[in-house]
Amino acid sequence: MPPLTTLSPPTATAPAPDAVELLRLENVGQYYGAGSRRFSAVERINLQLHEGEFVTLLGPSGCGKSTLLRIVCGLQRPSEGRVLYRQTPLVGINTRATIVFQTFALFPWLSVQGNVEVALKARGVAPTERRERAIDLLDRVGLDGFETAYPRELSAGMRQKVGFARAMAVEPELFCLDEPFSGLDVLSAESLRSELLELWTTGEIPTKAILMVTHNIEEAVLMADRIVVMDKSPGRIVADVRVNLPHPRRRKDAAFLSLVDRVYATLAGQTQPEHVELGTAPGEPGRTRVLPPASTDELNGLVERLAEAERRRADIFQLAQDLNYEADELLPLTEALELLGFATVAQGDIVLTPLGETFADSRIQARKEIFSTRIRRLPLVRWALQMLDRTDQNRLERGVFLAALGLEFPPEEAERQLDLLIDWARYAELLAYDGDLEQLFIEVGEE
Amino acid sequence: MRVNIEAQPEVASSGAVRSRLGPIGWVDVVLVAVLVGAIGGVVYLAGSATGPAEGVEVSLSPQMLPLYTALSIGRLLAAYVISILFSIAFGYAAASSKRAERILLPTLDVLQSTPITSFLPAVLLGFAAIMPARWAAEAASVVLIVTCQAWNIGFAWYQALTTAPPSLSDAATVFRFNGWLRFKSLQLPFAAVSLIWNSMVSWANGWFFLMVAEMLRLGGRDFRLLGLGSYLQEAANQGNAAALGWGIVTLLVVIVALDQLVWRPLLAWSARFVPQTDEEEPPRAWFHDLLRTSRLIERLTLRVERAVDAFDRLIIGRFPARRVYEAEQRGGARAGLVVAAAVLAGAAWGLVRSGHLLTQVSAAEWWEITVGIGATFVRVVLALLLSLAWTLPVGVAIGTRPRLAARFQPIVQLAASVPATALFPAVLWLIPHTGLGLNIAGVALMVAGTQWYLLFNILAGASSIPAEMHHSTALLGLSRWQRWRYLILPSLLPNLVTGAVVATGGAWNVCVVAEYVQMRGQILEITGAGATIQHAAAVGNYPLLLAATLALVVVVVLVNRTVWGRLYALASDRYRLE
């Protein structure tokens, strides 16, 4: 079991003692499947939320942060542990909470006003009152004049405003936001963020607390009072960082930047001993190391990019912006480069190692050889090669690998891991794959 | 302008195609048992149908046509309402749990690919055993139409239930929609377009089988029903060309009117339920545009909306959303068990009966059945090849020209909805009254019933080949043959297979009608599975009726599941344009 986090205990100042506890998760876990095919989405989650708090759940995709949000709203029952809302165990839908969805979840066949009204209709509100409240709310989010428009006629930013208006219509005590800004363009996201902050900080809405899921570090630091940092496999909380910066916060401030860097380091910079870092092969005890979802093309491109950078080092945020990547989209790539030993990550910077430099300077065949020797270390690759070695014709069905991986991962993850394995090993010319027969085999002439 | 042909065949066309055909499992075994039991039970009942059936006096006066038309449409409407109710129940049941899904979907597959007309004689006689002949004929026609209409609508509804965006479903839960509001504001709108398309297909199918049901005579017993079908048949029978003309014109007018006044406006109206992209033009209909300009309609709509809203709130107040986890709502499980038990018990009884009946079938009769199925099979293949011979070049020629395709598509759809069975009496009247003549007429009827499905699918496939692919084959300097070999045929394959499955399904259905006819007081029969079935029903040979019906069903289902299923898996896997 790897240590939970290498980060020193966060600067968590305990909440004011008089703050009322709204939500408490006790040892919450969510599992799918059963028996040897049991996978955990999140494990042993303990979390408290008090009145007046704006908390973000931050983590890479697959860390179970959205699952947690669904559990809090009562959309799904946790496999284990308890959810207490105002000290009462939660059963079924949380009537005091509402969600704003990443995909807006507007009914495309209802007008803007209809979308807000339907939430009130479900609570039996009469037509006249429904109409008045809907129009008032749409007014407040700046959508007057668009009442009769259909969602498809609106920009993404405006659609999300409808989502906010709809959620506010039912006057929730706990406002849950599932990556509400990640489907928007940069400018709309920015303006919507400040509008939400304004509503929240001025107390114009009867909301007592906000719980927001995000993968955007800056967004979390910009908005939240507390950042709960999560990591994946298994989904768990690794840090709880209090943000004591006054609003409005400025992205260029030194304090802001240093907090961003620290959170980033928590997410990415956990260097661990090699046996932990590499994990174990499928079927062996211990945590099976997954391959980060990065294609060989992307890896080659990133190494070349870094090789051209000054001192062969780059600020990850800057890099993500230059490459038009979300910061969390870059994470699997940096993780892969670290795994291969081509780069190291420290304090928000990524630096090419001498091996990475050699790789960058090499021609294609030499690159493949370097890549090949590096990935042979990986338990997953070693395991696949051994399986093929043991067969007569060094040839095995894709299904065999999938079945074996299926014991370790959920089905989609097993597929993804196998595809990654094939991509990497094909590039390294360690094995070949026949897509028609769906067979993996070791190429003739190889060893 | 883009033709949105691809958007349209959301039509759940054929069962054999859709399912992931795994190895035959216990579900299939149970299914076959239930099917055999059902048919056996019905045929057993049919054996006690002894009363005479005098039939009806069909008047050839054109003045009677409005009444006959209304009767025909009434039957279709009744069947359609039942189909919709069945579909909604089926969809909810299948979507309720994985277990229900594992049983119900294969059931639908098998039922959808069975040649329904083959049941008609058995079902009709079964009803005749328990009610007067007239009522039996009415009931049998409705049952027959339901069995051809319900499957694709049911599947469309199930698919809508399971593919609705999870975020919308979550939103409905978070905002505490109760079952009714969820149905009305989420599921129904999401399913609307697909339901309408499938309803169009179902109505076309309905016409096809209604004509058969209205014309049926079994030996000396006359089970005809007053309607367009019997009018056309009687006209052909009496050689009354004028009446035949009137009948066909009426039928065409009705079908065009339904298309223009009901389906097209509905489609135009339902455009609001799909998020439109900019390039796609929403479907338009002149009648819909006309209605929208009417003040009266506008006021009426407002009234209706108010009443509906009051009703909604009544239901919401009475049955508020329950506070349980969504995945744990278990309402129908017990009901499902009861239904399953009843079905199995009924099937067991039927199985015993059929076992008893089947022992009475002689070896000579089994041989007759085998030869009959073989002969029909040859006709079906012939009809498919003939249809392909003209639809492939024409479909590709039109489909690769977007403008032309946009213009032709509604026409093809309309043509496809004209029931070939209605034209059969006219064809019979034209051809020489011999075995060869009937052979030709039979194959012609099969072609008439199959060609449009093929053309429609080929059109859709050809128009979805990206223009860049055509450009690159042109740049590569491929010859005409090479283009067909490397671009057109491979990219058409999935559509071809889909079209062929539906088309052969239609062709098998035709055999019951086309291989055994009664005209001008004489019976004309050619070797075939359909003839065996009709002949057995006519002379009251119930064991043979059962054996022939079962054999035909089993062969067709097997062909679908093995040949077409595999071809389709191959086509959709490898020859898919992404």
Side-chain angles (χ1 to χ4, degrees):
Chain A
M1 203 70 225
L4 267 185
T5 167
T6 54
L7 187 79
S8 54
T11 55
T13 50
D18 56 337
V20 179
E21 180 194 285
L22 271 188
L23 177 76
R24 174 194 286 268
L25 302 185
E26 286 178 353
N27 277 319
V28 165
Q30 182 78 54
Y31 303 95
Y32 298 106
S36 64
R37 291 175 165 259
R38 199 166 105 127
F39 316 106
S40 68
V42 288
E43 270 183 25
R44 270 176 280 125
I45 300 289
N46 286 293
L47 186 67
Q48 275 165 285
L49 198 64
H50 297 86
E51 277 191 4
E53 273 189 316
F54 189 144
V55 176
T56 58
L57 294 173
L58 177 75
S61 45
C63 73
K65 52 193 194 297
S66 291
T67 305
L68 221 49
L69 201 69
R70 293 174 59 82
I71 290 173
V72 166
C73 287
L75 280 170
Q76 70 190 58
R77 181 201 286 282
S79 317
E80 65 181 31
R82 288 208 300 170
V83 183
L84 296 173
Y85 193 85
R86 287 192 179 277
Q87 272 84 45
T88 318
L90 186 67
V91 180
I93 197 77
N94 188 340
T95 54
R96 307 259 188 106
T98 308
I99 272 198
V100 171
F101 296 89
Q102 179 184 8
T103 51
F104 322 132
L106 301 179
F107 299 102
W109 40 84
L110 294 179
S111 66
V112 165
Q113 189 180 332
N115 264 289
V116 181
E117 273 195 41
V118 80
L120 294 166
K121 185 173 178 176
R123 307 197 168 201
V125 180
T128 355
E129 194 192 336
R130 240 160 47 199
R131 200 170 314 127
E132 280 167 11
R133 273 169 71 181
I135 290 177
D136 173 52
L137 281 163
L138 289 170
D139 232 20
R140 275 209 262 168
V141 296
L143 281 178
D144 44 340
F146 288 94
E147 291 86 354
T148 53
Y150 283 90
R152 61 170 177 271
E153 302 168 46
L154 305 181
S155 68
M158 287 161 98
R159 284 185 220 178
Q160 194 56 296
K161 284 184 178 185
V162 182
F164 274 107
R166 182 176 63 178
M168 275 158 24
V170 297
E171 304 193 327
E173 201 170 62
L174 174 62
F175 217 46
C176 293
L177 311 173
D178 188 5
E179 308 210 10
F181 310 112
S182 63
L184 314 184
D185 61 276
V186 182
L187 293 177
S188 307
E190 198 57 28
S191 87
L192 212 51
R193 271 183 211 120
S194 46
E195 277 166 43
L196 174 67
L197 272 178
E198 195 175 315
L199 285 173
W200 166 244
T201 49
T202 57
E204 268 181 60
I205 42 177
T207 300
K208 298 273 170 57
I210 297 182
L211 182 60
M212 178 171 86
V213 160
T214 182
H215 61 250
N216 184 328
I217 300 166
E218 270 188 279
E219 181 177 288
V221 176
L222 189 70
M223 303 182 78
D225 306 321
R226 246 173 80 202
I227 301 173
V228 175
V229 184
M230 298 182 68
D231 201 358
K232 59 184 172 183
S233 42
R236 63 199 193 281
I237 294 177
V238 292
D240 194 331
V241 184
R242 187 151 282 277
V243 184
N244 283 325
L245 305 172
H247 285 287
R249 296 171 185 165
R250 290 178 207 292
R251 290 165 196 265
K252 302 277 182 213
D253 280 358
F256 188 96
L257 286 173
S258 90
L259 198 57
V260 168
D261 273 350
R262 224 180 68 214
V263 174
Y264 190 83
T266 320
L267 270 175
Q270 299 178 46
T271 321
Q272 287 165 347
E274 183 159 285
H275 69 279
V276 177
E277 178 67 26
L278 293 181
T280 61
E284 291 173 14
R287 190 159 68 95
T288 309
R289 185 63 160 87
V290 297
L291 302 178
S295 74
T296 47
D297 279 342
E298 287 177 303
L299 292 176
N300 272 300
L302 183 58
V303 169
E304 275 161 30
R305 177 84 186 204
L306 286 170
E308 288 161 12
E310 206 180 316
R311 291 191 295 136
R312 310 208 152 179
R313 146 194 296 273
D315 181 82
I316 292 183
F317 272 103
Q318 198 54 49
L319 192 64
Q321 267 166 14
D322 293 349
L323 297 174
N324 245 331
Y325 272 58
E326 290 278 343
D328 75 313
E329 287 175 330
L330 206 55
L331 269 179
L333 294 184
T334 57
E335 200 186 331
L337 289 191
E338 282 200 289
L339 192 64
L340 295 165
F342 289 174
T344 53
V345 173
Q347 276 106 46
D349 277 6
I350 179 164
V351 192
L352 223 49
T353 59
L355 181 65
E357 290 181 31
T358 319
F359 183 82
D361 294 339
S362 304
R363 310 278 300 259
I364 182 152
Q365 209 46 46
R367 279 191 187 188
K368 285 183 176 225
E369 274 159 27
I370 298 175
F371 197 81
S372 155
T373 52
R374 295 309 289 172
I375 68 169
R376 276 163 192 274
R377 296 156 52 235
L378 304 181
L380 194 67
V381 176
R382 222 172 41 219
W383 163 79
L385 292 175
Q386 277 167 2
M387 286 203 12
L388 286 171
D389 262 344
R390 281 193 217 114
T391 57
D392 290 344
Q393 284 147 347
N394 294 349
R395 190 178 270 273
L396 266 179
E397 307 282 328
R398 176 187 175 87
V400 176
F401 288 94
L402 266 189
L405 288 173
L407 297 173
E408 311 276 335
F409 306 112
E412 320 85 72
E413 183 62 29
E415 287 266 0
R416 196 162 61 157
Q417 285 298 318
L418 186 56
D419 286 337
L420 278 168
L421 173 73
I422 292 171
D423 177 43
W424 286 25
R426 255 180 165 177
Y427 175 75
E429 294 180 9
L430 283 176
L431 58 79
Y433 180 65
D434 184 326
D436 280 344
L437 296 171
E438 300 208 321
Q439 284 176 342
L440 287 84
F441 56 96
I442 293 180
E443 276 184 301
V444 188
E446 178 69 30
E447 289 178 323
Chain B
M1 191 186 66
R2 258 191 59 207
V3 196
N4 48 2
I5 287 183
E6 313 92 282
Q8 290 166 4
E10 304 163 354
V11 171
S13 48
S14 166
V17 168
R18 215 175 37 250
S19 63
R20 299 252 167 108
L21 296 166
I24 290 179
W26 65 268
V27 173
D28 300 84
V29 175
V30 174
L31 262 180
V32 169
V34 169
L35 203 61
V36 171
I39 300 174
V42 169
V43 172
Y44 171 76
L45 276 181
S48 55
T50 47
E54 278 93 39
V56 288
E57 200 66 43
V58 181
S59 157
L60 288 187
S61 154
Q63 284 152 6
M64 297 303 285
L65 272 172
L67 174 69
Y68 289 178
T69 309
L71 285 172
S72 290
I73 292 180
R75 281 175 205 119
L76 280 171
L77 203 60
Y80 180 65
V81 170
I82 297 174
S83 300
I84 289 283
L85 293 178
F86 165 85
S87 303
I88 288 176
F90 172 86
Y92 274 132
S96 71
S97 75
K98 279 268 164 254
R99 191 178 309 163
E101 186 179 66
R102 268 208 302 275
I103 296 170
L104 289 174
L105 285 192
T107 312
L108 202 72
D109 265 359
V110 169
L111 287 174
Q112 202 173 32
S113 55
T114 48
I116 293 156
T117 40
S118 66
F119 296 157
L120 181 63
V123 170
L124 182 56
L125 291 175
F127 274 120
I130 52 175
M131 55 175 90
R134 283 288 306 282
W135 290 106
E138 292 284 359
S141 79
V142 170
V143 167
L144 185 74
I145 298 169
V146 169
T147 49
C148 79
Q149 284 186 334
W151 316 136
N152 60 329
I153 302 182
F155 187 76
W157 176 244
Y158 156 81
Q159 219 171 22
L161 288 182
T162 48
T163 58
S167 65
L168 286 187
S169 177
D170 280 348
T173 312
V174 164
F175 292 107
R176 288 195 275 153
F177 284 22
N178 70 350
W180 167 249
L181 197 58
R182 189 180 282 266
F183 170 76
K184 202 192 127 193
S185 298
L186 171 60
Q187 292 158 343
L188 203 53
F190 182 74
V193 174
S194 165
L195 284 183
I196 293 171
W197 277 108
N198 279 288
S199 294
M200 290 172 73
V201 172
S202 283
W203 271 72
N205 285 339
W207 279 106
F208 185 96
F209 292 107
L210 177 71
M211 293 296 127
V212 179
E214 284 180 349
M215 293 178 193
L216 197 71
R217 265 188 286 198
L218 292 175
R221 292 199 280 174
D222 184 349
F223 288 102
R224 287 179 308 165
L225 290 166
L226 279 184
L228 269 177
S230 48
Y231 182 92
L232 286 169
Q233 192 201 33
E234 188 63 29
N237 202 16
Q238 294 184 15
N240 186 338
L244 200 56
W246 277 112
I248 289 175
V249 167
T250 309
L251 181 72
L252 291 180
V253 166
V254 168
I255 285 174
V256 171
L258 278 176
D259 182 72
Q260 291 294 306
L261 302 182
V262 179
W263 299 120
R264 296 287 149 190
L266 267 177
L267 276 178
W269 170 78
S270 70
R272 67 174 63 195
F273 300 127
V274 257
Q276 296 286 329
T277 52
D278 292 336
E279 319 129 56
E280 271 177 272
E281 279 187 28
R284 298 197 57 161
W286 60 270
F287 191 60
H288 181 245
D289 294 343
L290 191 76
L291 285 182
R292 277 209 303 198
T293 59
S294 154
R295 287 259 157 218
L296 188 71
I297 296 282
E298 199 183 308
R299 285 201 190 165
L300 213 63
T301 322
L302 212 62
R303 278 277 170 87
V304 172
E305 273 173 8
R306 240 177 255 160
V308 169
D309 191 81
F311 176 75
D312 289 348
R313 279 191 302 133
L314 186 79
I315 300 273
I316 291 165
R318 200 54 73 77
F319 308 100
R322 280 180 296 168
R323 276 194 64 184
V324 287
Y325 286 103
E326 204 188 335
E328 293 164 17
Q329 287 179 354
R330 293 242 170 277
R334 208 167 298 161
L337 276 182
V338 172
V339 171
V343 167
L344 286 180
W349 175 78
L351 267 181
V352 174
R353 290 294 158 206
S354 24
H356 186 65
L357 279 170
L358 285 179
T359 53
Q360 299 167 29
V361 181
S362 68
E365 284 171 333
W366 281 115
W367 177 242
E368 183 193 338
I369 293 170
T370 313
V371 171
I373 291 180
T376 304
F377 186 75
V378 170
R379 274 181 215 114
V380 169
V381 172
L382 195 62
L384 184 66
L385 292 178
L386 283 174
S387 301
L388 268 179
W390 83 267
T391 53
L392 196 55
V394 171
V396 170
I398 297 175
T400 47
R401 294 173 178 79
R403 262 164 214 285
L404 212 57
R407 200 163 314 152
F408 265 89
Q409 210 213 342
I411 302 175
V412 173
Q413 272 174 8
L414 200 60
S417 60
V418 175
T421 44
L423 308 178
F424 193 52
V427 175
L428 280 182
W429 181 60
L430 290 173
I431 53 126
H433 237 208
T434 60
L436 181 65
L438 191 56
N439 259 316
I440 293 171
V443 173
L445 183 60
M446 284 180 180
V447 171
T450 58
Q451 56 192 354
W452 302 115
Y453 290 116
L454 275 173
L455 183 58
F456 191 78
N457 275 290
I458 292 169
L459 256 176
S463 65
S464 66
I465 302 177
E468 306 91 73
M469 304 275 276
H470 287 295
H471 295 327
S472 59
T473 48
L475 283 172
L476 288 172
L478 297 189
S479 69
R480 175 179 278 268
W481 159 243
Q482 283 169 326
R483 257 188 238 195
W484 275 83
R485 166 78 181 74
Y486 293 109
L487 175 63
I488 296 172
L489 286 180
S491 34
L492 278 184
L493 201 58
N495 298 74
L496 267 182
V497 177
T498 311
V501 175
V502 184
T504 46
W508 281 108
N509 266 315
V510 166
C511 75
V512 174
V513 187
E515 291 169 355
Y516 178 100
V517 290
Q518 279 175 293
M519 283 276 283
R520 288 167 219 149
Q522 69 185 79
I523 291 173
L524 197 59
E525 195 176 341
I526 50 178
T527 310
T532 312
I533 289 172
Q534 284 246 40
H535 163 84
V539 301
N541 185 345
Y542 297 104
L544 180 61
L545 174 61
L546 175 66
T549 307
L550 281 182
L552 181 60
V553 168
V554 168
V555 166
V556 172
V557 169
L558 274 182
V559 168
N560 268 339
R561 293 206 59 164
T562 51
V563 180
W564 293 123
R566 273 202 205 138
L567 258 180
Y568 189 75
L570 178 78
S572 61
D573 193 32
R574 186 163 325 163
Y575 296 101
R576 189 184 49 212
L577 285 172
E578 286 184 340

